[in-house]
């Protein structure tokens, strides 16, 4: 039950940071509308988790924890006197921000964007372009037109991409 | 609530669907989003609406800035509340709030009300009931001494004596009762050490019959036993009886939690080996295992647990890991001797993780729980606490 609950080392924590930090900053931005502030608050969360030697049962638990922590940190900030003094949001706006649906959908948007981006970045340039357009709902014909290549070449690029991204795509068949 | 830990799986799934160009995306958790939100979400992802921002962040550079502040970490002593596994909501708490922005973090709405706080931190205290029914109050500053035992008001120690009874009818029993808001430590005449938690009653012989099974009775409550080995007592086993079960050991450390009015009895083994007898059934536990006896169904289940969480109470620390708000309040109500009401608007099953010292004031703990944003407010009036 508690397997995998090992404490972080500098090395493992760095890896976690690189995997999560960019998305968490973007997630925080949705609340704070200020990227530098978002970075600061996210770093404070990382600092706190380190200092308190928090451990997690699984990667999903860990990811969820960080998102929730950043969310709470942002909401606390928005409720703080310092922030209210600037009167950028009315309190009613804050209520809209503090719903489960808002938090999770934003987290999923950010996280999915990052997953896709990381995946695409492993692809050859042409294949990457094809996949980007495909995600934007372009048909094979439209992609062919856009990139001035043949439809068959589009299909070939897709095949290359799927082979390369097998690990990610197999996620669908595991479950 | 509480689906934050599914972010990764859902995201990977959506990402895979989009890359594969599959039209429909099964989000697994449709109840989180309505159709409109789902549509917006997919549009945002497809358009790469967050991509510009994402590319503006240099994780490597910011890591260097952060790394300088990371000291070799130490064990948390502050209260820190968050949920644990799959179905639990994760909440952040005091730690962060206190760390950087404390004076500015005061929440202005739902200000907690403290009307007349008579809730006090628990102390070492107990009532000793002698064989003849007479009672002695043991508390700080009260010295008690008898032929068989002595107490400084914080613990009671029974002398190991050569004057042992020769048969069971000659056994003289004493009972130690720990009230709500109390705790106590004792050493039995065989050298077995016992830590007793709030609202606990233990009945035990002043001296054990030589060479025969050493038996005590946990009438109710929670106690931690560090049993002196059988080899020091002519092989005599040690037994803790309870209305619901018997625990037999040779010499070992374990914790039994058998509170009145609770549906479960928990036996947690720290060291050695114990045999727990429930009716006709018996279970042998190895260290780190906890036997959960459900009193309604008589069902027995064995789980691996974190010993620290289960036994830290005797070290002056409460450590809750994934414990529901309701159960946390039960533990606190015993130590602070208070009545707790959780209003219906609050989900009492929500799980927290937190550690704090037992000498914290109730207000410190409430501030910590409040700062998770999970509860809206609280009110203390006399010896009652209402969570709102």
């Amino acid at each position: 039950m508690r397997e995998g609950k090992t404490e972080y080392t500098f090395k493992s924590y760095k890896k976690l940071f690189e995997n999560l930090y960019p998305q968490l900053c973007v997630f925080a931005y949705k609340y704070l509308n200020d990227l530098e502030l978002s970075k600061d608050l996210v770093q404070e969360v990382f600092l706190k988790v380190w200092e308190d030697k928090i451990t997690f049962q699984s990667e999903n638990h860990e990811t969820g924890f960080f998102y929730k922590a950043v969310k709470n940190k942002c909401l606390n900030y928005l409720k703080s006197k310092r922030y209210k003094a600037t009167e950028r949001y009315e309190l009613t706006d804050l209520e809209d921000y503090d719903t489960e649906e808002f938090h999770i959908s934003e987290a999923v948007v950010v996280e999915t964007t990052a997953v896709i981006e990381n995946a695409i970045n492993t692809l050859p340039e042409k294949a990457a372009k094809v996949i980007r357009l495909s995600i934007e709902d372009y048909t094979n014909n439209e992609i062919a037109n856009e990139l001035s290549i043949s439809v068959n070449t589009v299909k070939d690029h897709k095949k290359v991409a799927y082979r390369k991204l097998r690990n990610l795509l197999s996620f669908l068949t595991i479950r | 609530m509480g689906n934050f830990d599914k972010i990764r799986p859902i995201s990977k799934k959506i990402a895979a669907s989009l890359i594969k160009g599959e039209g429909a995306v099964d989000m697994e958790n449709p109840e989180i989003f309505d159709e409109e939100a789902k549509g917006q979400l997919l549009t945002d992802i497809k358009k790469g609406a967050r991509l510009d921002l994402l590319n503006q962040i240099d994780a490597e550079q910011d890591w260097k800035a952060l790394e300088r502040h990371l000291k070799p970490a130490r064990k948390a002593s502050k209260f820190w509340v968050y949920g644990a596994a799959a179905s639990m909501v994760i909440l952040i708490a005091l730690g962060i709030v206190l760390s950087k922005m404390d004076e500015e973090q005061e929440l202005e709405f739902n200000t907690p009300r403290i009307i007349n706080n008579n809730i006090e931190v628990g102390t070492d205290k107990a009532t000793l009931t002698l064989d003849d029914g007479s009672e002695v109050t043991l508390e700080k500053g009260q010295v008690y001494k008898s032929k068989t035992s002595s107490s400084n008001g914080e613990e009671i120690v029974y002398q190991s004596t050569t004057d042992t009874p020769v048969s069971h009818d000659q056994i003289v029993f004493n009972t130690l009762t720990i009230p709500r808001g109390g705790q106590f430590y004792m050493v039995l005449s065989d050298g077995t050490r016992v830590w007793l938690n709030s609202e606990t009653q233990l009945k035990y012989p002043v001296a054990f019959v030589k060479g025969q099974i050493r038996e005590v009775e946990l009438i109710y409550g929670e106690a931690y036993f560090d049993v002196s080995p059988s080899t020091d007592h002519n092989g005599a086993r040690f037994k803790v009886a309870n209305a619901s079960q018997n625990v037999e050991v040779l010499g070992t450390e374990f914790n039994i939690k058998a509170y009145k009015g609770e549906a479960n009895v928990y036996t947690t083994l720290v060291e050695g080996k114990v045999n727990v007898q429930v009716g006709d059934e018996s279970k042998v536990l190895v260290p780190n295992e906890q036997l959960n006896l459900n009193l309604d169904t008589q069902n027995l289940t064995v789980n691996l647990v974190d010993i620290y969480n289960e036994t830290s109470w005797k070290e002056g620390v409460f450590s809750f890991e994934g414990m529901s708000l309701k159960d946390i309040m039960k533990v606190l109500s015993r130590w602070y001797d208070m009545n707790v009401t959780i209003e219906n608007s609050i989900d009492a099953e929500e799980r927290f993780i937190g550690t704090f010292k037992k000498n914290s004031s109730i207000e410190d703990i409430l501030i910590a729980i409040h700062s998770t944003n999970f509860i809206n407010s609280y009110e203390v009036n006399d010896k009652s606490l209402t969570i709102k």
Side-chain angles (χ1 to χ4, degrees):
Chain A
M1 181 179 144
R2 300 180 61 82
E3 290 141 6
K5 282 198 66 172
T6 49
E7 272 172 25
Y8 294 117
T9 60
F10 272 98
K11 206 175 151 195
S12 68
Y13 207 54
K14 184 181 182 200
K15 191 156 178 279
L16 176 76
F17 184 85
E18 286 171 347
N19 280 336
L20 268 180
Y21 175 75
Q23 295 97 291
L24 289 172
C25 291
V26 176
F27 178 67
Y29 180 86
K30 187 80 180 176
Y31 296 89
L32 305 171
N33 211 17
D34 177 336
L35 195 57
E36 285 310 307
L37 178 63
S38 302
K39 288 177 177 177
D40 283 349
L41 295 195
V42 173
Q43 286 180 32
E44 281 173 25
V45 170
F46 271 96
L47 192 60
K48 189 66 197 164
V49 170
W50 173 267
E51 283 179 351
D52 284 1
K53 282 194 172 179
I54 294 172
T55 56
F56 301 96
Q57 276 133 358
S58 67
E59 193 192 326
N60 293 338
H61 175 202
E62 183 181 64
T63 309
F65 175 82
F66 272 92
Y67 271 98
K68 197 103 186 181
V70 168
K71 179 208 84 178
N72 284 322
K73 186 111 181 137
C74 290
L75 290 177
N76 272 343
Y77 181 82
L78 293 177
K79 288 171 188 170
S80 71
K81 282 180 191 155
R82 175 164 62 179
Y83 188 77
K84 269 193 241 159
T86 67
E87 283 175 11
R88 271 183 282 180
Y89 287 97
E90 294 295 324
L91 280 182
T92 45
D93 291 343
L94 202 52
E95 276 166 27
D96 294 342
Y97 275 38
D98 199 0
T99 66
E100 188 80 354
E101 185 176 305
F102 179 87
H103 309 320
I104 298 198
S105 62
E106 182 57 21
V108 168
V109 169
V110 174
E111 193 63 36
T112 309
T113 303
V115 170
I116 292 175
E117 196 55 19
N118 289 337
I120 289 180
N121 283 339
T122 65
L123 298 176
E125 201 187 325
K126 276 273 164 57
K129 278 188 180 159
V130 167
I131 295 297
R132 276 189 206 284
L133 291 172
S134 164
I135 287 172
E136 284 187 59
D137 284 340
Y138 280 57
T139 63
N140 283 353
N141 278 329
E142 288 165 346
I143 295 174
N145 280 338
E146 183 76 22
L147 300 180
S148 308
I149 50 178
S150 74
V151 172
N152 277 337
T153 313
V154 170
K155 287 179 182 166
D156 285 344
H157 281 311
K158 280 192 170 178
K159 268 185 218 153
V160 169
Y162 294 159
R163 204 177 310 131
K164 192 104 200 214
L165 300 178
R166 201 163 37 207
N167 281 343
L168 172 66
L169 298 178
S170 70
F171 189 80
L172 279 181
T173 51
I174 290 168
R175 306 200 50 128
Chain B
M1 285 186 72
N3 291 300
F4 253 65
D5 52 330
K6 295 200 175 144
I7 293 164
R8 264 285 155 76
I10 294 177
S11 299
K12 282 187 181 166
K13 208 162 178 177
I14 297 173
S17 292
L18 290 177
I19 289 171
K20 265 191 167 174
E22 293 171 353
V25 179
D26 171 16
M27 291 207 191
E28 247 185 71
N29 276 65
E31 79 274 14
I32 305 174
F33 310 112
D34 59 28
E35 280 306 312
E36 194 193 327
K38 193 171 152 181
Q40 181 62 44
L41 187 150
L42 287 178
T43 309
D44 279 358
I45 295 169
K46 286 178 182 177
K47 282 197 321 221
R50 306 290 182 275
L51 211 50
D52 280 349
L53 275 173
L54 206 55
N55 289 333
Q56 281 178 46
I57 292 155
D58 185 342
E60 209 160 318
Q61 185 194 314
D62 289 354
W63 167 258
K64 280 179 196 148
L66 177 69
E67 196 180 18
R68 286 199 297 273
H69 299 286
L70 298 182
K71 291 180 274 276
R74 59 185 168 75
K75 187 87 190 169
S77 60
K78 272 186 225 145
F79 198 48
W80 170 273
V81 186
Y82 62 98
S87 62
M88 304 174 189
V89 160
I90 296 151
L91 302 154
I92 197 105
L94 190 67
I96 282 180
V97 179
L98 282 184
S99 63
K100 295 269 169 175
M101 310 159 61
D102 36 0
E103 73 284 0
E104 313 198 55
Q105 279 289 347
E106 250 174 72
L107 303 179
E108 281 191 346
F109 24 80
N110 297 322
T111 311
R113 273 158 59 89
I114 309 288
I115 295 169
N116 181 18
N117 184 2
N118 284 323
I119 300 174
E120 287 170 9
V121 179
T123 55
D124 293 324
K125 60 186 164 205
T127 302
L128 174 66
T129 309
L130 303 173
D131 206 39
D132 62 5
S134 60
E135 291 187 347
V136 181
T137 302
L138 306 175
E139 60 191 352
K140 205 170 176 190
Q142 297 270 5
V143 176
Y144 167 78
K145 199 156 174 40
S146 75
K147 226 169 63 190
T148 51
S149 66
S150 61
S151 170
N152 60 1
E154 290 167 22
E155 58 181 57
I156 184 164
V157 177
Y158 283 81
Q159 276 94 46
S160 64
T161 168
T162 45
D163 185 20
T164 50
V166 290
S167 74
H168 274 283
D169 345 323
Q170 291 181 341
I171 292 181
V172 175
F173 286 98
N174 281 0
T175 303
L176 202 59
T177 308
I178 323 300
R180 285 164 74 88
Q183 65 178 4
F184 221 70
Y185 168 77
M186 71 183 303
V187 182
L188 294 168
S189 63
D190 66 343
T192 293
R193 306 188 298 158
V194 189
W195 287 259
L196 299 125
N197 208 343
S198 311
E199 217 177 353
T200 296
Q201 193 169 65
L202 185 77
K203 187 179 173 188
Y204 50 90
V206 169
F208 296 97
V209 181
K210 216 173 192 169
Q212 288 197 25
I213 193 158
R214 297 168 280 162
E215 182 170 344
V216 300
E217 184 180 359
L218 179 63
I219 298 171
Y220 57 81
E222 178 167 27
Y224 183 100
F225 296 89
D226 178 0
V227 176
S228 91
S230 307
T231 45
D232 296 352
H233 305 283
N234 303 330
R237 297 163 79 84
F238 190 91
K239 176 174 166 183
V240 183
N242 174 258
S244 59
Q245 63 173 30
N246 292 317
V247 178
E248 263 192 50
V249 303
L250 292 169
T252 180
E253 292 186 38
F254 59 99
N255 191 75
I256 302 179
K257 187 156 69 172
Y259 274 109
K260 284 184 286 192
E262 300 244 331
N264 299 286
V265 172
Y266 300 95
T267 307
T268 310
L269 183 60
V270 178
E271 230 180 81
K273 200 167 160 184
V274 299
N275 183 37
V276 186
Q277 185 88 33
V278 181
D280 301 335
E281 219 179 322
S282 74
K283 276 267 191 303
V284 174
L285 298 184
V286 300
N288 300 315
E289 280 187 343
Q290 180 178 70
L291 179 73
N292 177 358
L293 161 61
N294 183 314
L295 294 175
D296 297 331
T297 62
Q298 289 291 303
N299 252 0
L300 297 175
T301 45
V302 175
N303 295 307
L304 279 177
V305 295
D306 186 326
I307 294 298
Y308 181 76
N309 296 330
E310 301 300 317
T311 61
S312 64
W313 63 266
K314 78 186 217 316
E315 318 288 350
V317 172
F318 282 129
S319 177
F320 305 120
E321 182 153 342
M323 196 189 261
S324 70
L325 184 64
K326 189 181 77 190
D327 289 342
I328 289 174
M329 285 303 151
K330 253 183 218 162
V331 173
L332 295 181
S333 69
R334 288 184 192 119
W335 180 238
Y336 290 92
D337 189 15
M338 58 182 182
N339 297 313
V340 180
T341 312
I342 301 176
E343 289 193 348
N344 287 336
S345 56
I346 302 296
D347 180 4
E349 297 301 328
E350 204 57 69
R351 290 168 190 275
F352 287 69
I353 291 184
T355 306
F356 64 89
K357 296 206 171 106
K358 286 171 78 178
N359 61 12
S360 312
S361 75
I362 190 68
E363 285 191 51
D364 283 346
I365 293 166
L366 289 170
I367 289 168
I369 294 177
H370 188 218
S371 70
T372 63
N373 282 340
F374 178 70
I375 65 169
N376 298 318
S377 185
Y378 56 86
E379 184 176 314
V380 174
N381 189 355
D382 193 22
K383 278 181 165 295
S384 295
L385 163 66
T386 309
I387 304 284
K388 305 175 164 196

